[in-house]
Amino acid sequence: MAWAAAGLEARLSVELSVAQAAIGVGIVWVWATGSRRLAQRNAQLAALTAQLEREQELRAQHAVAREKLAIARELHDVVAHHLSALAVQAGLAEYVFTSDPAAARQAVVSMGSSSRQALEEMRGLLGVLRTGTESPDEDGLYRSAPGLAALDDLVQQARASGLDVTWAVSGHRQPLPSGVDLCAYRIVQEALTNSVKHAGRGARVCVSLRFASELLTCEVTSRGGIAPMAELPSSGLGLLGMRERVRLYGGSLRAGPRAEGGFEVVFTIPLAPLDAAGGA
């Protein structure tokens, strides 16, 4: 209205004064609308940036937690297995120290072998920790640990702890991915450790590996045995760790008492690539 009044005051026609006022108001309207939209876009971008920063932080925390879980799992398997074997072998050496010096000497030799292997695995694991935390080296973690190729040494250690262990492989043995190889080895190791802890000396343990074109199946069964000479602590994390390992590679695990007596651990791991639903 002020613009139109100014036009009339300047002796312009009514039509020209009104048109001039409408054009001025339109320009102001367009400028105000653009400013409002720009402010809205800036607010949306600020909110999106904050959300992305939170998601990035959560992803980083998840990666760290996942790496801590993998390292904790490795530490549990290495420490629990080797220290349990050392405790049993030390008890055996003390038990037969005077009555059977040869058996006591063999137990001491086995203790040295178990401790050296534990140191080697711990050294490899610590080497992974020293690589830094920004990009965890999972491949290095796998390379630092043994696989099924070292199963015979694992069986010998179990025998030195007083178990009667037999093992067999059926099917066409094939190279395994490093993660699957480590997973299978650690589960067998944990099953033998539990046999040492709970079944005791003289327990008969059978380890059976079956290779198929797309599936690895393993059974570890134990029965008999006498009560262990030393009470070994148990955290209950062994079975939980086995299930987590198998689930990581899309497999399944069953662990529990057998109908005919004893205890069994049976697990399967697919060897073919998983589909998207399976978490490849």
Side-chain angles (χ1 to χ4, degrees):
M1 292 179 63
W3 210 324
L8 293 175
E9 187 71 22
R11 300 178 181 274
L12 298 177
S13 64
V14 175
E15 293 81 3
L16 184 59
S17 298
V18 172
Q20 177 179 265
I23 292 173
V25 171
I27 293 174
V28 173
W29 179 270
V30 170
W31 174 81
T33 302
S35 298
R36 179 175 57 84
R37 291 177 178 174
L38 179 61
Q40 290 176 344
R41 283 197 298 268
N42 289 338
Q44 292 173 353
L45 288 175
L48 182 59
T49 300
Q51 181 180 355
L52 290 176
E53 290 177 351
R54 289 194 299 270
E55 291 179 354
Q56 184 177 5
E57 183 179 356
L58 289 175
R59 283 195 297 268
Q61 292 176 355
H62 177 71
V64 172
R66 186 177 173 187
E67 183 66 10
K68 285 182 177 179
L69 178 62
I71 293 172
R73 190 184 299 126
E74 288 301 306
L75 282 172
H76 171 271
D77 290 341
V78 173
V79 173
H81 171 73
H82 290 292
L83 290 187
S84 297
L86 288 173
V88 171
Q89 290 161 0
L92 175 62
E94 182 181 7
Y95 184 74
V96 300
F97 188 78
T98 56
S99 60
D100 192 348
R105 179 184 295 274
Q106 181 59 41
V108 173
V109 172
S110 299
M111 289 170 60
S113 176
S114 296
S115 60
R116 284 191 294 272
Q117 184 175 355
L119 286 173
E120 182 179 354
E121 293 189 33
M122 290 294 293
R123 188 179 297 112
L125 188 57
L126 291 175
V128 174
L129 294 176
R130 293 192 185 100
T131 60
T133 58
E134 294 183 358
S135 57
D137 183 11
E138 292 187 359
D139 292 335
L141 183 62
Y142 292 142
R143 287 194 299 270
S144 68
L148 290 179
L151 187 57
D152 187 61
D153 294 336
L154 185 62
V155 169
Q156 294 300 328
Q157 291 178 13
R159 288 172 179 168
S161 299
L163 298 179
D164 179 11
V165 185
T166 60
W167 67 289
V169 179
S170 60
H172 177 64
R173 190 163 185 170
Q174 53 185 294
L176 299 176
S178 56
V180 174
D181 199 19
L182 173 61
C183 173
Y185 177 88
R186 289 303 191 200
I187 294 177
V188 175
Q189 183 184 53
E190 181 64 26
L192 292 176
T193 301
N194 288 339
S195 297
V196 171
K197 286 182 177 181
H198 306 298
R201 296 181 58 237
R204 294 184 296 277
V205 182
C206 179
V207 180
S208 174
L209 286 170
R210 292 196 300 273
F211 285 86
S213 59
E214 297 182 354
L215 194 69
L216 170 66
T217 304
C218 180
E219 298 181 10
V220 183
T221 60
S222 61
R223 59 179 179 172
I226 61 176
M229 291 178 294
E231 280 295 327
L232 301 177
S234 178
S235 63
L237 297 177
L239 290 177
L240 178 61
M242 287 193 285
R243 289 192 172 90
E244 288 177 348
R245 285 183 182 276
V246 170
R247 191 182 301 116
L248 181 63
Y249 296 100
S252 61
L253 181 139
R254 183 179 74 255
R258 305 172 64 203
E260 58 272 27
F263 199 85
E264 69 176 359
V265 175
V266 182
F267 68 91
T268 59
I269 301 177
L271 301 181
L274 299 173
D275 56 17

